[in-house]
Amino acid sequence: MGYGFVAILRRDLLLAFRNRGEIANPVIFFFIVVTLIPLGLTPEASRLAEIAPGILWVMALLASLLSVEGLFHSDYRDGTLEQLVISPQPLYLMVLAKILAHWLITGLPLTLLAPLLGMMLSLPTAGYLPLVLGLLMGTAVLSLLGAIGAGLTVALRKGGLLLSLIVMPLYMPVLIFGASAVQRSVDGFSVQGPLAVMGALLAFSLLIAPFATAGALRVSMHG
Amino acid sequence: MWQWFHRLGSPRWFYQASGKWLPWLAGITFVLLLIGLMWGLGFAPRDAKQGNSFRIIYIHVPASFLALAGYYVMAIAGAVGLIWKMKLADMVMKSAAPLGAALTFVALITGAIWGKPTWGTYWVWDARITSMLVLLFLYMGVMALQHSYTSVDAANRASAVLSLVGMVNIPIIYKSVDWWYTLHQPATIKFTEAPTMHPDMFHPLLVMIAGFYCFYALVLILNTRSEILHRERRSSWVKDIVLQNQR
Amino acid sequence: MPQTPQLILDSIAFERDDCLLFSGICLSLESGDVLQIEGPNGVGKTTLLRILSTALMPTAGKLLWQGSDVARHRQLYLQNLLFLGHLPGLKQSLSPTENLVWWRRIHRDHSPLKNEEILGSLGLCGYEDIPCYALSAGQQRRAVLARLLVTEAPLWILDEPFTAIDKQGVADLEALLIAHARRGGMAVLSTHQDLGIANVRRFPLVASAEAV
């Protein structure tokens, strides 16, 4: 049953490798926006450190949103999605493979880049571990939830803005728990609570999101 | 049981039956809202701290109740439409979205107006207000999705999927917003919770809540009826109604 | 000797937004049948083929595959089906070989045929490793048709398969269809072309005049 999963994962990673330029976009976006913050706000380290957890999380969220729009777009346009919907394999697993590929090429690089940007925003030392752990799980949740919105809007000509309207409310818990884990750690509190909730969010969206996305894709194919 | 279910699913049956209930429902709604407003605005005692400004709760609280309940009505109607492919449920879902969004908007506006004399500002990032704002976004998402599909069936199914996802997520979003709020500022100003309210203030509120529920049902039925007429405009029974009205 | 029909369309109707496209379509296919759906543009040929592929659900009526309802036993039906639509899912930034490899993986094809042989026999010799965006429309079509050589599905559903290919390509595809039918396979295709295949059954699709 897993061969459809592996085939799609391998193909999506190969495609990502072919279109390297597009893959770098969210990471570059993340980088550029974080560079703009000190210019617009203040170069003062103490004040930057205060807002760094929130800024880093908001930017990671926007970067993820930016990239999730294209998750099913090319597959829809060239007919691959139709072939997937009518293939004898469970759509749930194939959707999950696409989401995993998306996370590997956007969420994971964002997570790895975050400590560097945290340093540029003078994030206190205690914040790095919860930042990376939170983003590691959180970006996966963002990819999973974003896939639902991407599936619902893939057949629409101007889906981009609609996608952000649909997905933003769903993203809120991730932002709240992710940013507060970093903040609490900086303030010297335990971060087990928010990180545990983040893990629960991940488990929950792993169960629900691929089903909802598969349903959304079927609707889009019929439309 | 199943026969009843299928009859309820028939738009024509619903249109004719709801025509009989409407005058009664409208009457009850009118009486309840009138009693509630007069009692609440005219006869309930002044609040010791807030004076007369507290009286806005007679609109604010029922509107917020129904804004949330309305989302569940919409999502459950969407689920019924998805699973049993019942046309009527799709129409109820489509009618419930703008109604719920309007109530959410009313709750937000009355909350802001109430906030000015109470907190000295129109907008605070309070847990309840923030949750209401998220709810408004959820409604707007469903409505925008509904309007962007050209095919009616696809629009209905897409917005049903989205409202179901939203329904599953609402408790999570609400809980996390609550947690976020307690984390950032320990609640200094607490709303007068319902059980601690004086009965003289509380009873008119109950009447208003009941009145708002009836009002919601009334408007939902009216919206659904016009949606039925629009969707079934080519069928003979709708043409008959139009001809009768022209005479 | 009368054969048992493999695929039966039982009074299929399709309605989009209260507008009836066609209704009451009854057809049956037996082993070795090649069925050509004919009709002017906009009559619903693609829609009918997409219903056959289960990408669309019919508004009324049902499909029966070897006697069992496709709506209930969808997996079984899909295992026996190969569908090539207008847009067959060819990735532009991958080469014909990579596209074929992906297709074989997802359909779990373990036939001993080599990718180069398959693509070579379709006249793509020397183009196997060039990204598809650099190929002509006809060559891209041929890269898609390579799937017909590796599939074991008995039922082929092809939407306008002759688009963009040259005379030699048409002859090649016709030969494929003949060989497929001789093995006992079935094919349903839509095309405006007269096929050079003996015993093609033709089905003229007629638009429904009545509105709901």
Side-chain angles (χ1 to χ4, degrees), chain A residues 20-206:
Chain A
R20 285 180 288 269
E22 285 173 38
I23 302 311
N25 281 347
V27 173
I28 294 170
F29 171 83
F30 191 34
F31 198 72
I32 287 175
V33 177
V34 169
T35 317
L36 291 178
I37 300 295
L39 296 176
L41 227 58
T42 168
E44 216 177 295
S46 62
R47 280 181 67 194
L48 281 178
E50 223 171 90
I51 54 164
I55 294 285
L56 286 170
W57 260 96
V58 170
M59 291 313 143
L61 191 139
L62 290 178
S64 172
L65 183 67
L66 193 75
S67 65
V68 88
E69 194 194 337
L71 183 54
F72 299 115
H73 225 269
S74 66
D75 280 353
Y76 178 76
R77 259 179 314 179
D78 65 20
T80 308
L81 209 51
E82 189 172 58
Q83 293 288 340
L84 293 185
V85 169
I86 62 163
S87 93
Q89 283 153 73
L91 193 53
Y92 174 92
L93 277 183
M94 297 193 285
V95 166
L96 197 61
K98 285 200 70 73
I99 297 173
L100 178 60
H102 177 260
W103 179 75
L104 285 174
I105 54 193
T106 61
L108 193 60
L110 285 180
T111 307
L112 297 177
L113 187 68
L116 177 68
L117 296 175
M119 198 185 70
M120 287 166 70
L121 292 178
S122 353
L123 182 73
T125 328
Y128 288 95
L129 190 62
L131 179 68
V132 171
L133 286 178
L135 277 175
L136 202 64
M137 292 186 281
T139 48
V141 180
L142 296 181
S143 292
L144 283 159
L145 294 177
I148 304 175
L152 281 172
T153 54
V154 70
L156 304 174
R157 232 171 295 150
K158 285 180 183 163
L161 204 61
L162 182 58
L163 175 67
S164 41
L165 178 62
I166 288 175
V167 167
M168 270 305 169
L170 308 179
Y171 276 4
M172 276 183 193
V174 181
L175 176 65
I176 289 174
F177 287 103
S180 71
V182 183
Q183 190 64 57
R184 280 171 72 101
S185 174
V186 170
D187 296 342
F189 294 107
S190 151
V191 292
Q192 273 179 359
L195 285 181
V197 174
M198 191 69 95
L201 287 177
L202 177 59
F204 182 69
S205 27
L206 263 176

Side-chain angles (χ1 to χ4, degrees), chain A residues 1 3-4 6-12 14-15 18-19 74-90 94 218 221-223, chain C residues 14 16 50 53-57 74-75 78-79 81-95 98 102-103 105-108 131 147:
Chain A
M1 209 159 86
Y3 55 95
V6 176
I8 289 189
L9 186 62
R10 283 175 71 170
R11 191 207 58 163
D12 271 23
L14 178 64
L15 276 170
R18 287 284 152 81
N19 309 331
S74 66
D75 280 353
Y76 178 76
R77 259 179 314 179
D78 65 20
T80 308
L81 209 51
E82 189 172 58
Q83 293 288 340
L84 293 185
V85 169
I86 62 163
S87 93
Q89 283 153 73
M94 297 193 285
R218 285 188 206 281
M221 292 318 297
H222 288 252
Chain C
F14 188 75
R16 179 169 276 159
R50 290 190 69 206
S53 79
T54 75
L56 281 181
M57 295 268 275
R74 191 160 171 264
Q75 299 294 48
L78 290 176
Q79 280 163 12
L81 171 81
L82 179 126
F83 173 65
L84 296 183
H86 271 294
L87 294 163
L90 193 72
K91 281 286 165 206
Q92 295 291 319
S93 50
L94 300 184
S95 69
E98 284 163 335
W102 178 72
W103 172 265
R105 255 189 216 135
I106 202 157
H107 288 262
R108 221 185 192 174
R147 293 173 195 171

